[in-house]
Structure formats: structure tokens, C-alpha cells
Amino acid sequence: MPLQFYNTLTQQTQEFAPERDNTVRMYTCGPTVYDYAHIGNFRTFAFVDILRKTLRANGFRLDHVMNITDVDDKIIRNAAAQGKPIEEYTAVYTKAFLEDCAALRLERPERITPATEHIGDMVAAIERLEKEKHTYASDGSVYFRISTFPGYGKLSHTDFSGNLAGARVDVDEYEKADARDFALWKAPKEGERAWETPLGPGRPGWHIECSVMALKYLGETIDIHAGGVDLIFPHHENEIAQSESLTGKPFARFWLHAEFLMVEGQKMSKSLGNYFTLRDILARGFEPEAIRYLLISAPYRKSLNFTFDGLKSAAAAIERLRNFKLRLATDRFPDGLSEKLAARTAAAAKDFSDSLNDDLNTAGALGAVFEYVRDANSAMDAGEFTAGNVKAGLDFLAQVDAIFDVLQPTRKASYMEDSEVESLVAERAEAKKARDFARSDQIREQLLAQGVILEDTKAGVRWKRK
Ligand code: AMP
Ligand code: ZN
């Protein structure tokens, strides 16, 4: 099946291919680094990771830019409260964000770039918008006049006509969903960090940073722009107004938006206090892979309810896959090739990639995997799975893991020494001799969790690291 995405702009599912050079030019909105990101934020970033990997699986190259919002009202407020310069304050959370992304195995975009390194570019863009009469100044701030952009509302499919006169807000945190002119440049309040520029002292609004960085690094029309659904309005609507007023060209061809991670029917958010950071979850003993799996197991356009039971099921699902892989890699199967199983594996692989190509239907893709695992396990139990079926099975798991990336356990800081492995292997042999199979299985699992695979051979037990 050809790759297709639901496009918020057209409200249709459309076949996707990049416009030029087989390269997807993509921009995704990054974090505001005023605190640790919560796992709700990471649902959106994990969706972007699946998007990247699926695009690559379709043979496309990637040129992906993500911003770091390192100046905004909350950052200024919190840094001031701690008596720190904002750079020092945001450095901590930028670093934490990148560490958390790595723990969740989220691929790095080709370019990650902070807003404060682009103040000059933003000022130049605002001056051009001024020249084209898209702005007005008030009390040292500069606002975008929405009535100068007839397409305003086309992404959120809202009719703003008759609702635009003169109203405006100058904060980054929008609560009201009504039409407002928005700040491009903000005059400093007493004692606030400000940049001295031809526009006067101040700092950029949030929306202009994304327009400027996308245009600068990716060109006038990008292939994909993505983020969480809460960004559709006003952030992405405002990005379109700014960018298209600057270039006269469509800003992005495809707009993809991820639904929320919920807790008991409400969006996980800082302001509601119903959130967990990745660190909170790891401190409770869960593996980062379990969180990764949970976040990506539901299709991105469906909201996903977070529970610890869900997290336990995710961990169990990963364990099932790992056990299957171990069985495939270490069991002895009868010689020959079962055509029936070869066809079964090929069908599962096709079903898997078709599901992902169908607007990243991760649940469908995982369904294909687990049905295959069940069928293959039964075939193995019945002695019907042959040595000739092993390679295709392992290849299929590699195809799955190129997207889901959960099979390899995270190497713990407490890396298990060879001597410790040896003594557990010896203990397992004793347990087997004493017919204590529960204990011997437990040791096998414990070693597997440390990335050590056991192979029972005629010559005794061999072990290797994954
Ligand atoms: P922020 O750091 O607040 O700018 O948000 C970073 C990203 O997280 C944005 O793309 C938001 O849309 C997204 N986001 C925030 N809360 C949630 C949530 N509960 N579930 C999924 N995505 C979220
Ligand atoms: Zn943005």
C-alpha cells in the first residue's frame, strides 16, 4: 500500500511523497524548555519518531528541523524566580529533554535549533512583514494584523470573518480560542531579559520562531509540518499567516497532528498537575522501552489513556516479543522449508508495512506482529516450524524493530560482569538437574533482561551477549 496521511489542512487522507529529490522536508515543533517534559509531550515526540522511521522505510531521505523554544513567559518568570540568566536556566532542561529522547530511542532530527540563536532572522522577518503592512506597533510591541491574511482559519477550519477587529493578546499561553491578532515582537516588562534590535528592545513571540526556522533551513514550501493537536490553533494557524505573508507560497503541504495522552479523561498537562515525567516512571522501575511501546502502540490520531496497568501490559508485550526472538534464534528446528509458514511470514510482513503506511496505524501493525508470533509459536510447538523459516522470521522482527525499537533491552548502568553471568549459568544447570524448572527459567529471563542469551547445546550451555 502506498504511504498515506491524514492532512489536517485538507481534512482528507492523501497519498504522500516528497516534492523534491526524494527528500522529506519536515518541521516539527519542539519543546518549551521551562521544566522537564512530561510523557504527554513525549507522546507527540514519539509519534514524530514513528513518522520518521516510516518515511525512511518507504525509501525517503529526511531533512527534519525541530526548534527548542528557549525564551517565553514561563522561562523568563522561572529564571527570574531562581535569579538565573535564562540561558543557564534553559540549558538544564534542554539537556534533560535530549537525554529523555535518547532513553526513549527517539531519533534526532537532522537539525535541532534554539530560538534565541535566531533573533536576528526573526527581526528581519518582522521588518519584512512591517514593510508589507501586515503589522502594527503598540506600546513597543509589534502585532500581526490577521485581517491582512485572507486565508486565516484554513488549518483549523474556522471562519474568523467579522471576528477580527482590534482584539489582541500578548502572552504565549493562549486560553481563549477566539480570533486575536498576535504578538510578533514583545516589549520588555520591567526588569525582563530583552534583546536590543532595530525593532526596539524586546523579545520575539513564540509563533515567529517556527516560521523563520522552517523557511531558513527547509525552504518556502515544506513537505510535512507536525505537532500536537493543541498547536493547530493558534500556533500553526499563525505560522501559516506569517510564512505565507512572507513568501506568497503555501507553507506546508501536509499537516499532521497527534492526539493527547490523557489521564482519567483529561489531557495530561502541567497545569492540571496530572502528569508524570519520564524520570518519574523510570524511578518506579519501568524500562524506557515500556513507555516507548505504550506511547506508540495506539494510532496517533486516537487519544490514549495513560494507566500503570497499560504500562505493565506494554512491558509484557515486549517480553513476549523478546522471548519469541530468543526462541527463534536458539531453538533447534527440523530441517527443510515449510512453504505454508514462509507464506505466513510474508503475509505478516506485508500486513505490518501496509498498516503503517495507512496513516501510521501502529495498532494494526502490532496486531500483525502478534498474530504472527502466536501462529509461529504454535507451529513450533507442533514441530511444523522448520529451520528454513528462521531467517525470514528474524528478518521480519528486524523490520518490526526498525520502527518499534523495543527488542534490545536498555543496557543498565549495572552492566553484568562475565563472572556473574557464569555463576548464574552454573546455578541454572544445578536447578535443571534438580528439576527446578521454574528457577532455571527465571535465571534465563534474568540474564535475557541483561542482554545475555543462553543456548542449550549438546555440548552444554553457551551464552552470548546480544
Ligand atoms: P510544549 O513543551 O508545551 O511546547 O509542548 C511540546 C509538545 O507536546 C507539543 O507538540 C504539544 O502539542 C505536545 N503535548 C502537550 N501535552 C500533550 C499531551 N497530553 N499529549 C500529547 N501531546 C502533548
Ligand atoms: Zn512551532
Side-chain angles (χ1 to χ4, degrees):
M1 178 193 269
L3 181 59
Q4 54 181 34
F5 296 131
Y6 179 83
N7 186 348
T8 308
L9 184 64
T10 59
Q11 296 184 302
Q12 316 242 320
T13 303
Q14 293 169 260
E15 203 170 314
F16 176 82
E19 202 161 49
R20 287 180 287 140
D21 328 320
N22 203 41
T23 301
V24 181
R25 289 167 180 82
M26 173 157 92
Y27 187 92
T28 57
C29 296
T32 307
V33 282
Y34 73 101
D35 202 341
Y36 293 105
H38 57 67
I39 56 168
N41 300 127
F42 282 115
R43 181 184 192 200
T44 294
F45 298 117
F47 139 70
V48 170
D49 186 60
I50 296 300
L51 174 59
R52 282 182 59 94
K53 288 171 173 156
T54 303
L55 288 165
R56 194 159 328 88
N58 277 273
F60 302 130
R61 282 194 299 266
L62 290 165
D63 189 0
H64 170 195
V65 176
M66 181 178 80
N67 64 309
I68 302 272
T69 301
D70 60 349
V71 52
D72 91 327
D73 293 335
K74 282 174 282 197
I75 290 172
I76 291 176
R77 188 179 61 211
N78 293 2
Q82 292 188 9
K84 282 184 185 160
I86 66 169
E87 288 81 356
E88 196 181 311
Y89 180 81
T90 57
V92 175
Y93 298 108
T94 303
K95 181 165 172 287
F97 173 74
L98 296 175
E99 282 167 5
D100 289 355
C101 286
L104 290 171
R105 307 176 185 194
L106 309 183
E107 277 182 7
R108 273 194 176 229
E110 279 61 37
R111 188 186 292 271
I112 299 182
T113 176
T116 53
E117 285 178 17
H118 297 78
I119 303 285
D121 296 319
M122 290 190 242
V123 168
I126 295 168
E127 286 178 322
R128 274 170 55 215
L129 288 169
E130 260 179 348
K131 228 197 245 146
E132 300 291 326
K133 309 249 177 313
H134 287 292
T135 70
Y136 58 93
S138 172
D139 300 332
S141 295
V142 180
Y143 294 86
F144 187 94
R145 195 188 294 279
I146 289 168
S147 58
T148 66
F149 183 69
Y152 198 79
K154 67 181 171 183
L155 183 69
S156 53
H157 303 279
T158 317
D159 181 5
F160 287 97
S161 57
N163 195 14
L164 297 173
R168 62 158 208 253
V169 283
D170 62 359
V171 293
D172 285 328
E173 298 161 297
Y174 291 80
E175 257 119 40
K176 301 185 198 80
D178 54 4
R180 300 289 172 104
D181 289 345
F182 57 90
L184 296 162
W185 188 257
K186 297 180 172 195
K189 298 199 191 83
E190 185 63 32
E192 261 185 21
R193 169 68 193 271
W195 282 261
E196 290 298 331
T197 74
L199 297 169
R203 65 187 177 84
W206 171 35
H207 315 296
I208 192 71
E209 71 180 82
C210 290
S211 286
V212 162
M213 292 192 238
L215 294 174
K216 175 168 179 163
Y217 295 114
L218 299 170
E220 293 183 330
T221 299
I222 63 178
D223 292 304
I224 299 179
H225 197 312
V229 281
D230 54 339
L231 301 188
I232 297 173
F233 182 84
H235 183 53
H236 289 163
E237 201 74 75
N238 293 348
E239 281 189 43
I240 292 177
Q242 297 164 149
S243 305
E244 298 192 359
S245 296
L246 283 166
T247 67
K249 307 253 173 62
F251 178 40
R253 297 169 55 232
F254 282 75
W255 288 86
L256 274 58
H257 292 99
E259 274 293 343
F260 291 138
L261 186 67
M262 313 286 286
V263 184
E264 285 161 13
Q266 284 184 302
K267 173 189 175 189
M268 180 177 284
S269 74
K270 281 271 155 58
S271 52
L272 290 172
N274 60 353
Y275 66 91
F276 296 96
T277 64
L278 177 62
R279 287 142 206 261
D280 295 334
I281 306 270
L282 298 182
R284 291 177 180 228
F286 290 94
E287 305 290 325
E289 305 91 278
I291 304 161
R292 174 179 170 82
Y293 185 99
L294 179 72
L295 295 178
I296 62 188
S297 56
Y300 75 97
R301 287 180 60 228
K302 294 216 165 88
S303 62
L304 169 65
N305 199 43
F306 174 77
T307 61
F308 280 97
D309 278 346
L311 202 48
K312 283 180 201 146
S313 307
I318 295 172
E319 218 33 58
R320 248 193 333 273
L321 287 179
R322 288 180 182 166
N323 287 338
F324 176 71
K325 185 178 175 194
L326 184 67
R327 187 173 187 192
L328 203 50
T330 58
D331 269 16
R332 282 186 59 82
F333 302 106
D335 287 343
L337 174 74
S338 155
E339 298 289 350
K340 190 174 141 213
L341 273 160
R344 179 71 193 84
T345 314
K350 181 169 181 333
D351 199 2
F352 178 81
S353 67
D354 280 355
S355 294
L356 283 174
N357 279 6
D358 182 11
D359 199 26
L360 310 178
N361 181 0
T362 46
L366 285 171
V369 176
F370 282 105
E371 278 167 33
Y372 169 74
V373 169
R374 192 196 53 212
D375 290 353
N377 268 323
S378 328
M380 288 173 184
D381 296 342
E384 289 164 10
F385 196 98
T386 61
N389 299 120
V390 169
K391 182 170 182 307
L394 288 171
D395 286 351
F396 176 42
L397 287 183
Q399 177 191 352
V400 172
D401 216 37
I403 308 282
F404 282 88
D405 199 359
V406 292
L407 284 178
Q408 189 76 33
T410 300
R411 181 150 288 182
K412 308 262 184 340
S414 62
Y415 178 71
M416 195 177 267
E417 298 293 341
D418 284 4
S419 56
E420 205 180 334
V421 176
E422 297 286 0
S423 80
L424 279 167
V425 167
E427 189 189 333
R428 178 167 169 271
E430 287 301 315
K432 274 182 105 170
K433 233 199 244 149
R435 306 193 68 73
D436 182 357
F437 297 115
R439 176 68 188 141
S440 88
D441 284 351
Q442 192 187 27
I443 293 173
R444 181 193 268 272
E445 297 278 303
Q446 187 186 347
L447 287 168
L448 181 65
Q450 299 286 330
V452 175
I453 300 176
L454 299 185
E455 288 173 338
D456 287 308
T457 70
K458 289 204 185 82
V461 178
R462 276 205 304 262
W463 63 270
K464 62 180 186 196
R465 294 188 196 274
K466 284 209 240 184

